[in-house]
Amino acid sequence: MSEIILQAKNINKSFHDPITIPVLKDISFTVNKGEFVSVIGKSGCGKSTLLYILSTMDTDYQGELFIDNETMTNKKEAKLAQIRNQKIGFVFQFHYLLNEFTALQNVMLPGLKLKKYSEQEVEHRAMERLKKLGIEQLALKPANQLSGGEKQRVAIARALINDPAIIMGDEPTGNLDKRNGQIVFDIFKQLAEELNQTLLIVTHDSEFARNSHRIIEMEDGRIIKQ
Amino acid sequence: MNYKLIFSISKSMLLARLRQTSVAAIGVTFSICMFITLLSFMTGLNDLLDGLILNRTAHVRLFNEIKPNDKQPINTSADFKNTYNFVQSVKAVNSRKELYNSEAIMNAVKKDDRVLGLAPKISAPVFFNGGSVDIAGVINGIDVEAESKLFFFNDYVVKGTSIDIKNVSNSIVLGKGLADKLLVNIGDVVQVITSQGEQFPLKVVGIFQSGLNDIDKVQSFASIATAQKLLGKNNNYITDIQIKLHDVKQAPEIAKEYSQLFETDAEDIQTANSQFETGSSVRTIISYSVGITLLIVAGFGIYNILNMMIYEKMESIAILKATGFSGKDVQLIFIVIALTIGIIGGLLGLLLGFSLSSVIDQIPFNTASLPTITTYPINYNPKFYIIGAIFSVITTFLAGWFPASKASKVDPVIIIRGK
Ligand SMILES: Nc1ncnc2c1ncn2[C@@H]1O[C@H](COP(=O)(O)OP(=O)(O)OP(=O)(O)O)[C@@H](O)[C@H]1O
Ligand SMILES: [Mg+2]
């Protein structure tokens, strides 16, 4: 049996705005090391909500979450930040780079925060990742001068900088045209196949999903197929 | 904690939005500049008004009051010791204005280390003969050097030189109003008639203008020797000893002490000028309220600017948190940003406040009542600069602290989903 990276146990979440609406109902599943999992479902079924909980960015839920066999539930904010820094790479639908910094600096920041490597090493590792994503020539450009596809690749490079246990993405190709979407998909596929990188990606793109290892389908806050 | 990283992130954020950063810093600069300038100017004016009185008034004055004796003969009689004695229509007798033993008193006072200095004085009422009319006035016999050192006599001599009353025998410095009435100028001779009826010619060597018309119309100054000669007294004759202290607040206490010690009358400045005391303290209260109001207004301004700045950066906060920066890191970043703005803006404000004060200090301000003042007064009190510096740092710190700590507590997803 392969190693479990992520485990969700009976996760429930409701919004209370202004009346209580349950959004996630009893979600339980596991993701093994090296798996490329995509999550699909109709708009509004709770995919983003689930992903934010799994990435520890949202702590307001019931149930239990394990990452790398460590419980995330009821952990302190600073501890969760440290786990996000070290173990989770996140890629948003919108690119969410820091416009105050260059592409390279954006990639380096989580690495500098982790402090596992010296600044030179972090820079070297960041350049390596930009190269792998084919955008090393953009390293010194300010983030706000990049195209959407370029930004998304910088965001993936950033997600990779600390060799995370799992990369999560919320419609990372949703905002890109077909060609750029294909490039990003190929990158994920390559990461999964060559580096045995674990991936959990929310998508609307059924072709994208079909090409991944495993599909989790959601409807109305429940997992109906996995 | 990775302070180097925190500082470099703060720096990039400050520089990336240089215009916004500048606007925030300029807000601080402007507030501090206004605070420094207004307070320097207002307290400068206050000090000027205070100086009008304080500069030329003794803190403690020793003299002999003409008054009925407290020890009426009947009270010293053993026969009436156990009775209560009413004496009506008591009058003062033997009006000796002279301070007894003045030489010894002056030596004793000089040795007191609470005392800055003293100046002896003789005041003698006289008439100035101006053709067919006699004008009442007062001649003050003064030690011109001590008077200049302690009471800035020099500053008020607007024509001629004050030291001449010591160097030229039988000379006098007239108040400006008096000189105008007598139609005399420097080099002319005035006739003085003493209360004993004797007439003296005195040479005018200077014109004195105090700024208070009532004084300038009656007062005049001569050397002590001249005054003694005028009154036909020996060279021990002194009517007043004016004492200036290191700390004016001690005046009432010292006056009381000297009055007992030397058996003379002693009057302190607080008693002699009680209306001035009130005016001065009211003006001080006004200055402080204006200063505090300015700081409060400035504080809210600074708080608003920084608050807005941090809320604009919510997205960046969310990204930093999503990629593993803790709430504390985020808070530190924004406090560094706020403090940088506070320190740079504050320093510029102090400099600009100083420059603006210096400019006001150059603006001509001529008024007949203040001959020594040529420009608007400014008080360059370092206290204002210290308050300004501390204030700008503390307010920017708080203005960064509150929104930053609020931002550091929200889950990053709240911000991201809010988009
Ligand atoms: N802050 C909120 N307050 C109240 N309800 C919310 C809030 N955020 C999301 N919801 C609701 O929760 C449900 C799930 O939202 P979520 O964003 O997870 O959907 P999704 O599956 O990601 O949809 P999409 O594919 O369109 O992104 C929706 O019905 C949405 O209206
Ligand atoms: Mg969504």
Side-chain angles (χ1 to χ4, degrees), chain A residues 15 49 52 57-60 77-78 81-82 84-85 92 96-98 100-101 109-110 112-113 115 119 158, chain B residues 2 4-5 9 12 16 313 315-316 319-327 329 411-413 416-417 419:
Chain A
F15 284 112
T49 309
Y52 292 140
M57 286 196 280
D58 187 351
T59 51
D60 180 18
E77 182 267 349
Q82 195 200 329
R84 279 200 295 279
N85 185 234
F92 300 95
Y96 285 127
L97 298 181
L98 292 167
E100 293 89 349
F101 295 89
L109 276 178
L112 294 172
K113 170 67 192 163
K115 257 191 139 178
E119 200 175 324
R158 179 177 64 189
Chain B
N2 195 342
K4 203 177 141 216
L5 180 60
I9 293 175
S12 303
K313 294 226 185 285
E315 190 184 305
S316 304
I319 298 169
L320 284 170
K321 292 182 95 176
T323 54
F325 286 82
S326 65
D329 294 334
D411 278 338
V413 62
I416 288 171
R417 201 164 30 204
K419 282 275 290 183

Side-chain angles (χ1 to χ4, degrees), chain B residues 261-334:
Chain B
L261 192 63
F262 304 130
E263 293 187 326
T264 66
D265 290 295
E267 190 177 52
D268 55 84
I269 187 169
Q270 284 84 350
T271 311
N273 288 288
S274 52
Q275 87 284 17
F276 155 77
E277 270 287 298
T278 317
S280 176
S281 69
V282 166
R283 284 196 304 271
T284 309
I285 291 171
I286 294 175
S287 305
Y288 275 103
S289 351
V290 169
I292 289 169
T293 311
L294 271 173
L295 287 186
I296 291 173
V297 171
F300 275 107
I302 293 169
Y303 181 82
N304 262 335
I305 294 173
L306 275 169
N307 214 354
M308 258 168 54
M309 207 173 150
I310 289 177
Y311 278 102
E312 263 183 36
K313 294 226 185 285
M314 274 302 175
E315 190 184 305
S316 304
I317 293 173
I319 298 169
L320 284 170
K321 292 182 95 176
T323 54
F325 286 82
S326 65
K328 214 173 144 209
D329 294 334
V330 168
Q331 198 171 356
L332 260 175
I333 288 171
F334 282 95

Side-chain angles (χ1 to χ4, degrees), chain B residues 41-173:
Chain B
F41 186 41
M42 277 183 36
T43 51
L45 284 173
N46 269 355
D47 291 351
L48 174 101
L49 292 172
D50 287 0
L52 271 180
I53 302 290
L54 282 181
N55 279 355
R56 63 186 83 165
T57 313
H59 294 169
V60 175
R61 190 167 71 93
L62 304 181
F63 62 105
N64 256 347
E65 187 98 88
I66 297 175
K67 63 180 178 195
N69 200 331
D70 285 338
K71 297 174 189 138
Q72 291 297 320
I74 192 161
N75 292 335
T76 56
S77 161
D79 295 345
F80 298 100
K81 214 167 182 159
N82 296 321
T83 59
Y84 198 89
N85 308 309
F86 294 93
V87 187
Q88 299 207 334
S89 283
V90 180
K91 294 281 186 296
V93 291
N94 190 17
S95 60
R96 276 186 62 176
K97 291 187 71 192
E98 181 177 2
L99 270 179
Y100 309 108
N101 228 346
S102 57
E103 194 75 41
I105 294 179
M106 285 200 280
N107 281 335
V109 169
K110 265 181 205 157
K111 286 201 190 94
D112 193 332
D113 42 326
R114 294 169 298 181
V115 170
L116 180 68
L118 62 81
K121 190 168 125 182
I122 301 169
S123 71
V126 293
F127 287 104
F128 292 95
N129 187 265
S132 59
V133 289
D134 288 337
I135 299 164
V138 176
I139 288 187
N140 298 286
I142 56 170
D143 173 347
V144 70
E145 279 145 342
E147 201 78 19
S148 293
K149 192 175 136 242
L150 296 178
F151 303 109
F152 309 96
F153 179 66
N154 249 336
D155 291 350
Y156 297 100
V157 175
V158 290
K159 253 197 223 164
T161 34
S162 58
I163 197 76
D164 278 355
I165 57 173
K166 190 180 164 203
N167 295 342
V168 179
S169 63
N170 295 339
S171 58
I172 189 167
V173 169

Side-chain angles (χ1 to χ4, degrees), chain B residues 355-370:
Chain B
S355 321
L356 200 59
S357 314
S358 315
V359 169
I360 293 176
D361 207 359
Q362 300 305 316
I363 299 174
F365 175 58
N366 290 313
T367 147
S369 64
L370 300 163

Side-chain angles (χ1 to χ4, degrees), chain A residues 47-49 93 170-171 202 204:
Chain A
K47 305 182 294 292
S48 297
T49 309
Q93 175 176 9
D170 189 2
E171 299 181 40
V202 168
H204 267 139

